Amino acid sequence: MARDYWPRPLLHFAPPQGFMNDPNGLVYHRGRYHLFYQHNPYAPVWGHMSWGHAVGHGLLDWEDRPVALPEQPDYMVFSGSAVVDRDNTAGFGADALVAVYTAHYRDDREAQGLAYSLDGGERWTFYEGNPVLVDGERPHVRDPQVFWYEPGGYWVMAVARADDRQVAFYASDDLKRWELLSTFGPAGCWREAPHWECPALLELPVDGSDRTHWLLKVDVDGGAPTGGSGAQYFTGYFDGVRFVPDDPSETVRWVEAGPDFYAAQAFNHMPDGRRVWLGWMNNWRYANALPTYPWRGMLTIPRALSMVEVEGRHHLVQRPCRECYARMQPVEAPQTGRSFPLPEAGLLRLRMRTGGPWHVRFFTGTTPGVVVGYDAENRRLFLDRRAAGRTDFSPDFPGRFEALLPPEVPEELDLEILFDRYSLEVFAPQARLVLSALVFPAPGDCAAVIHDEGGTIREALLCGYADASASAG
């Protein structure tokens, strides 16, 4: 039976066919960005996990490349990271690209392995000495994040002890021999979480200062407040050996207030020093059931990361990367109460006061669409996709998702709602909030309307995406 072809998103990366989940090995090398990802090249469902590959000279335009790290006879190639070994510490060659990944064996054991490329990421060789890290006491240790720790002059690995709900930190001089430094956890969301996965330890700039602070992001494959999988974070200090959190161990903080964000990873070796990450825009509750074909799965927009300090406490701030803003062209200033056509991808900017309610309906036409709005009485931003296009493929997909505004946010707030063919991402940087959600509009539902019940929207500007990415075919 023939299935309808779904074109890929414009702003967001998706594979040409098959299934994708976690971004892997995000790295800048020799003038190109490399985007690897968990990929089943054979079918649009999870399985046969390998590293798919795309390259680009920027963060929005991607050229599909052949599978980089294919499934091996005795294991699948699970998530990991990639680094540039400029000084040839591993002995593979100066300036080699080295991928550090989890080997998931047929008997369900896991270990960490290496692969390397000497031609800029086109051809890869699995290291003959694999695996390089085996935890004999724990079968499920996965998703290594590796970076060069300059103060100590060694490589650091953060890896999830999935069943223990811990992150283990290791050090190495050569990427081959690893020494355990310390562990972190259980903490935050762990009793409700079957596993911890995909750690990311990042030193981030603090807005308005010349200081930095450390963030440890850890994903949970169940127990998130929006249902199913999600990402939590901890702030603190990393001294090259251990991560010391700012908050008590029972404190839970979430990266996202939306349902579709997981396994985020930041680019290594960015030329301008920015910290930018991409997340998998999906949820394990319905990841294998999405209606798209012949591909299934997509990534978020690349997001610039920083922190802000409020009353002595550090908070994560996420914004669309500056390359995204550079592609946006103003279309019109929509009037409230009047329907207006949406570009296929773009950005709606709103300046609002927090004293009254409002809402915007996206992707309207034959259905009521997705509602993004503000509940002034309860001081909550919300996103409701219960009546938007295709929702029948999973009972877990429809839902309303909310985020409480912090008490110290200014009376006037700027919002940016980024939309694409199958997604909405709501950014409120002043409130340190993001809501990301997939949506599958009915054919022809491509209008929007702003309803300003409280008379609190001061400005509205609609922008359209000026160019289609290489992954939009």
Coordinates of all heavy atoms in Angstrom, one line a residue, residues 206 211 246-247 253 308-315 406-409 432:
V206 N 27.8 33.5 31.7 CA 26.7 34.1 32.5 C 26.4 35.5 31.9 O 27.3 36.3 31.8 CB 27.2 34.3 34.0 CG1 26.0 34.9 34.8 CG2 27.5 32.9 34.6
R211 N 31.9 36.1 33.7 CA 32.0 34.8 34.4 C 31.4 33.7 33.6 O 30.6 33.9 32.7 CB 31.4 34.9 35.8 CG 32.0 35.9 36.7 CD 31.3 36.0 38.0 NE 29.9 36.5 37.9 CZ 28.8 35.7 38.0 NH1 28.9 34.4 38.2 NH2 27.6 36.2 37.9
D246 N 24.9 23.2 42.8 CA 24.5 24.4 43.7 C 23.3 24.0 44.6 O 23.2 24.6 45.7 CB 24.0 25.5 42.8 CG 25.1 26.1 41.9 OD1 26.3 26.0 42.3 OD2 24.8 26.6 40.8
D247 N 22.4 23.2 44.2 CA 21.2 22.9 44.9 C 21.2 21.6 45.7 O 22.0 20.7 45.3 CB 20.0 22.9 43.9 CG 19.8 24.2 43.2 OD1 19.9 25.3 43.9 OD2 19.6 24.2 42.0
R253 N 15.0 20.5 38.2 CA 14.9 21.6 37.3 C 14.8 21.0 35.9 O 15.7 20.2 35.5 CB 16.0 22.6 37.5 CG 16.2 23.1 38.9 CD 17.4 23.9 39.1 NE 17.3 25.2 38.5 CZ 18.3 26.1 38.6 NH1 19.5 25.7 39.1 NH2 18.2 27.3 38.0
V308 N 21.8 32.9 33.4 CA 21.5 34.2 34.1 C 21.5 34.0 35.6 O 21.0 32.9 36.0 CB 20.2 34.8 33.6 CG1 19.0 33.9 33.9 CG2 20.0 36.2 34.1
E309 N 22.1 34.9 36.3 CA 22.0 34.8 37.8 C 21.0 35.7 38.3 O 20.9 36.9 38.1 CB 23.4 35.2 38.4 CG 23.5 35.0 39.9 CD 24.9 35.3 40.4 OE1 25.7 35.7 39.7 OE2 25.0 35.1 41.7
V310 N 20.0 35.1 39.1 CA 18.9 35.8 39.7 C 18.9 35.5 41.2 O 18.8 34.4 41.6 CB 17.6 35.4 39.1 CG1 16.4 36.2 39.8 CG2 17.6 35.7 37.6
E311 N 19.2 36.6 42.0 CA 19.2 36.4 43.5 C 20.1 35.3 43.9 O 19.8 34.5 44.8 CB 17.8 36.2 44.0 CG 16.8 37.4 43.7 CD 15.4 37.2 44.2 OE1 15.1 36.0 44.7 OE2 14.6 38.1 44.1
G312 N 21.3 35.3 43.3 CA 22.3 34.3 43.7 C 22.2 32.9 43.1 O 23.0 32.1 43.4
R313 N 21.2 32.7 42.3 CA 20.9 31.4 41.7 C 21.1 31.4 40.2 O 20.6 32.3 39.6 CB 19.6 30.8 42.1 CG 19.4 29.4 41.9 CD 18.0 28.9 42.4 NE 17.9 27.4 42.4 CZ 16.8 26.8 42.0 NH1 15.7 27.5 41.6 NH2 16.8 25.5 42.0
H314 N 21.7 30.4 39.6 CA 22.0 30.4 38.2 C 20.9 29.6 37.5 O 20.5 28.5 38.0 CB 23.3 29.8 37.9 CG 24.5 30.7 38.3 ND1 25.0 30.7 39.6 CD2 25.2 31.6 37.6 CE1 26.0 31.5 39.6 NE2 26.1 32.1 38.5
H315 N 20.5 30.1 36.3 CA 19.4 29.5 35.5 C 19.9 29.4 34.1 O 20.5 30.2 33.5 CB 18.1 30.3 35.6 CG 17.6 30.6 36.9 ND1 16.6 29.8 37.5 CD2 17.9 31.6 37.8 CE1 16.4 30.3 38.7 NE2 17.1 31.4 38.9
P406 N 8.2 32.9 36.3 CA 8.9 33.2 37.6 C 8.4 34.6 38.1 O 8.0 35.5 37.3 CB 10.4 33.3 37.2 CG 10.5 32.6 35.9 CD 9.2 32.8 35.2
P407 N 8.4 34.8 39.4 CA 7.8 36.0 40.0 C 8.6 37.3 39.6 O 8.1 38.4 39.6 CB 7.9 35.7 41.5 CG 8.9 34.6 41.7 CD 8.8 33.8 40.5
E408 N 9.9 37.1 39.3 CA 10.7 38.3 39.1 C 10.8 38.7 37.6 O 11.5 39.7 37.3 CB 12.2 38.0 39.5 CG 13.0 37.0 38.7 CD 12.7 35.6 39.1 OE1 11.8 35.4 40.0 OE2 13.3 34.7 38.5
V409 N 10.0 38.1 36.7 CA 10.0 38.5 35.3 C 9.5 40.0 35.2 O 8.6 40.4 35.9 CB 9.2 37.6 34.4 CG1 9.8 36.2 34.4 CG2 7.8 37.6 34.7
R432 N 13.2 32.5 31.2 CA 14.0 31.3 31.1 C 13.2 30.1 30.8 O 13.3 29.0 31.3 CB 14.7 31.0 32.4 CG 15.8 32.0 32.8 CD 15.4 33.0 33.8 NE 15.0 32.4 35.1 CZ 14.5 33.0 36.1 NH1 14.4 34.3 36.0 NH2 14.1 32.4 37.2

